[in-house]
Amino acid sequence: MAMLKLSILAAAFVCACAVPHPPLRNTIFGDEKLEGQIFENLQYQVEDSSSRNIAANEYRLPTTTIPVHYNVLWNIVLTTYFIFNGEVTINLTPTQAGVNEIVIHSEDLNITSLSLKKQGSEANLEYSYFLQPDLDFLRVQLFNSTLDYDANVENIYELTIGFSASLRTDMYGIYRSWYFENPNNTALPIYMASTQFQGTSARKAFPCYDEPSFKATFDIRIRHSTQFKSWSCTRINNTIPEGTTYVTDVYHTTPKMSTYLLALIVADYDSRPVNNTQGLITYEVIGRHAAFEDSQYEYAFDVGQALLAEMNNITDIDFYEIPHMKMTQASIPDFSAGAMENWGLLTYREAYLMYNSEHTNSNSKQLIAYILSHEIAHMWFGNLVTNEWWDVLWLNEGFARYYQYFLTHEVETYMEFETRFITEQIHTSLLADSVTSAHPLSHSGIGSQESVSGMFSTLSYNKGAAVIRMTEKLLGSNVHKQGLRNYLKNRAFDIAAPIHLFQELQNVAEEFNATEEYGADFSVIDYYQSWTEQAGHPVLNVQVNHQTGQMLISQQRFDINSGYSTALRNWVVPITFATKSNPYFENTKPTHVISDGIAIINRGSVGDEWVIFNIQQTGFYRVNYDNYTWDLNALALRQNSGIHEYNKAQIVNDVFQFARAGLMPYHRALNILSFLENEVEYAPWVAAITGFNWLRNRLAGTENLPKLESLIANWTTTVIGNITYEPLPNETGTNFMRSYLRMQLAPTLCAINAPGCRDVAIRQFQEFVEGTEVPVDSRPWVYCNGLRNSTNAVVNFNFLYNRFKTHTVYNEKIVILSALGCTIHRESLITFLTDIFEDNYIIRPQDYSTAFNAAVSGNEENTQIVFEFIKQNLTLVENGFRVTSRFRSPLISPLSTIASRLRTEAEINEFQQWAVENRQVLGSAFGPVMNAAEDTRQSISWTKGIEGDLLLYLEEGGASIQTSTSAPTTTPLPSSTVTANPVVAPPTPELPDSAVTSALSISIIVGVAIINFAL
């Protein structure tokens, strides 16, 4: 064996030396790096701690003192001055002897007073204090003394600090927001105050220990004008008059919690409450009066209570068992975060909470439902049990994202969240996880505010949820649920590290023998660590010997740029598969688990037959087959052989990404995907339209784009004929997914001018102008195409823009805002752009990006119009985006958006020349903006390299697929994985040429063998 390993390593070395290394290959371009897109972090390289020579741990508070309890008063002034002031008393205790300094957080606060004394004593200690702005620290240093410490007796000190600041306008800390009650916006705006503290902004509201591990209880008082009401995390205990115009609301003590989960609201709001038998409020929805006048609160009121009750059952922990706790769902006019799980006072953008059946489309309705689920799930995963630090944020957000889908599925089953999880979470996270710079779920080295913000990523949310789902299938639903219950109960009101979760699941798995079939060496802890402590995910290369039934499986880390990463990594991979002989797609419990680089599994049958790995895409990995097995699978897809909808979507997504990464030619990929011509199910088509739109972006501006779009139009004929462009009566109530699929397909089909799409849009828009409302689910694509194909552009733009300004349903306002950029009238587009950036009460800062992106992408010609606008109004644009640009130049986002839509080398050169001429004005934006233009140049170059491959299919069609061996016979399946000698492949039988199983590349086999030896 030693000689065999040595021989292979020697062969690998010879191959590595003999074959020249190809140049670095890149397939990630500017459109995917824009704000809010999948690779945003690659464009916005934040100024991390290393660039400032500050180690990550230097941003962390020392643990020499800890808080026990806070008493906080906030005085909110919403008239004239827009300020807040207050006082906090922190009861703290030392954790060791010899402590002579207390370090807490404070940012952008005026410290008006400070005192320190031991509890029970009237004498103040002698001290000095100073602020350390680069770390957001407030340091209190004792003179010639230390804090008393006794391991057996808790010594409490009281640190009392007065503070003041202006109400912020960047939607962090305590900030002000505005709204109108009058639908014509003729009255003055009404102001309110709200908060957003996650993850590092509580320090902007009061001096505190602003890290999640420093949990304490809080007594909160809020002083405000009598014309407003206030809300916080718990119920109001009592209200104290403060003269004739102010009151102080005194709230009950909170549970032990982290500072980022605190919240307050001061507003003239309406409320729809539920009281318990003692007359105490338990649940309510709050918002502006106009939203209550037409009962927009009702959906969140009803479905929120149902979701909360279901989550109580799932966790076996009643939310209302926490003393003085209630649940307030609050609608906020301006809210950059979208929604926030503050304990007892959950906050949402108005569009994510308020629903009107006549003006809220299916997309917005499902957003309301699943965002409610997400935030409600946080009451357990995040609030009750909190990640110990932001480097394991997935413990909070992964579970919230998981329940966002599967909790909602229990309550709103017709929305089919189980189906949509495949395309919306698994596919997006696989893509985000496919670059070498992807961070692992558990990611060390997080310290600065910028690096904390970076952890709120697609990976922490989507991949976290996908791995949790994989684990549920691995253990079984009931075992997994019991493990989570134990985790929550044993860590309640405390912090958690991943090992706490892993150990609870390991314990319950052993108790119920849930992993017995995976072998004596299987460990839940090892499994979970392989998926959380290393970045990336594997692609399983499956080579099937159809005469013996042996399947050779190798795993390598997938790389979207080069196909395979050079990183030497293995994962503990759960294996499921279905075949023509055993076409059972409902059993998602793994039959095997592999952890080595290479393994062999017996298929259980011999002869030619399709085989599909990763049943219902429960595993977080991709699957590539040998060419002959791909042919068998492609035939099965064309023949509608009962392959599960989720696996068809998996194949579509995998094939598009394999072609992009260079693992499969595009002409072969399209040949496999040709089954879509007769496909009508939701998940495969959503995966397909995503892949096609990525290709459309590459081919934009080329003569071959119409050829691709013709293919898309042809392949969608069956599915669009099935769902039609016209909704059925009451479709959103009786056939949600039919309407929802149309919403996904129609925008692209109208953009490529598929037969019938624009005709329907133009007719419905004209009827709309004449007084007939457009069907609510059709409005996004009808509004846009109505403007885009208008014969009276000015009138129609003004008609739609006036509707935006006066409408009282925010969901409808967002739909209109996203369509206004489709106008073909240049002056109307300039008016729209001006209103985005000027200081007014028309478009909200939270919506600047949505509006700007709509303006740039509404029509192909818009890019250059908007670029000219920016050049002439650079300061205006910079100031407009400053509100939403926390850690980067506000010019990066708009100019990178322009750069991503340049179509020719000449346009790129002109753009870069302008940037060079304005380098001083662009400042820190110059480098990212120039890089964005280079990304587009690379996109053009990459596209030229694959156009010939694409044209093989687009012009000549796909090759026929035939098989030649006999039907399979079934043999018993093995009970566990048989790990192969890492270098011995199964023999290839003598078969006719058309049936010979294609071998995996020898370089792949050698590569995984080396990986297996190295670990």
Side-chain angles (χ1 to χ4, degrees), residues 850-867:
T850 299
F852 180 79
N853 291 338
V856 177
S857 62
N859 296 292
E860 190 64 29
E861 299 78 15
N862 288 17
T863 303
Q864 292 300 324
I865 297 173
V866 177
F867 185 34

Side-chain angles (χ1 to χ4, degrees), residues 275-313:
N275 294 336
N276 62 17
T277 55
Q278 290 79 43
L280 300 174
I281 189 170
T282 57
Y283 185 92
E284 66 177 334
V285 178
I286 66 173
R288 58 189 180 89
H289 298 289
F292 274 68
E293 289 172 1
D294 60 353
S295 302
Q296 293 181 40
Y297 66 86
E298 284 186 351
Y299 182 67
F301 182 80
D302 293 334
V303 78
Q305 290 183 80
L307 293 166
L308 179 58
E310 182 64 24
M311 198 65 189
N312 283 336
N313 294 333

Side-chain angles (χ1 to χ4, degrees), residues 951-1013:
L951 290 176
L952 285 177
Y953 191 92
L954 296 179
E955 294 183 345
E956 301 177 20
S960 62
I961 299 175
Q962 296 179 348
T963 58
S964 60
T965 59
S966 59
T969 58
T970 303
T971 57
L973 284 170
S975 58
S976 61
T977 300
V978 179
T979 302
N981 182 316
V983 295
V984 179
T988 301
E990 295 295 328
L991 297 173
D993 289 345
S994 62
V996 175
T997 301
S998 300
L1000 289 176
S1001 162
I1002 188 64
S1003 62
I1004 296 174
I1005 297 295
V1006 170
V1008 294
I1010 293 172
I1011 293 170
N1012 199 39
F1013 297 149

Side-chain angles (χ1 to χ4, degrees), residues 518 573-577 590-594 601-602 974-978:
Y518 307 143
V573 184
I575 299 294
T576 56
F577 62 92
T591 55
H592 305 75
V593 172
I594 65 172
I601 294 176
N602 192 296
S975 58
S976 61
T977 300
V978 179

Side-chain angles (χ1 to χ4, degrees), residues 423-438:
T423 55
E424 295 172 14
Q425 300 303 309
I426 296 177
H427 293 178
T428 54
S429 52
L430 282 170
L431 181 57
D433 198 38
S434 64
V435 292
T436 57
S437 60

Side-chain angles (χ1 to χ4, degrees), residues 25-27 29 666 694 938-946:
R25 188 175 185 274
N26 176 55
T27 69
F29 307 114
Y666 265 105
W694 188 85
Q938 288 185 29
S939 176
I940 292 172
S941 174
W942 183 87
T943 303
K944 290 177 180 177
I946 58 98

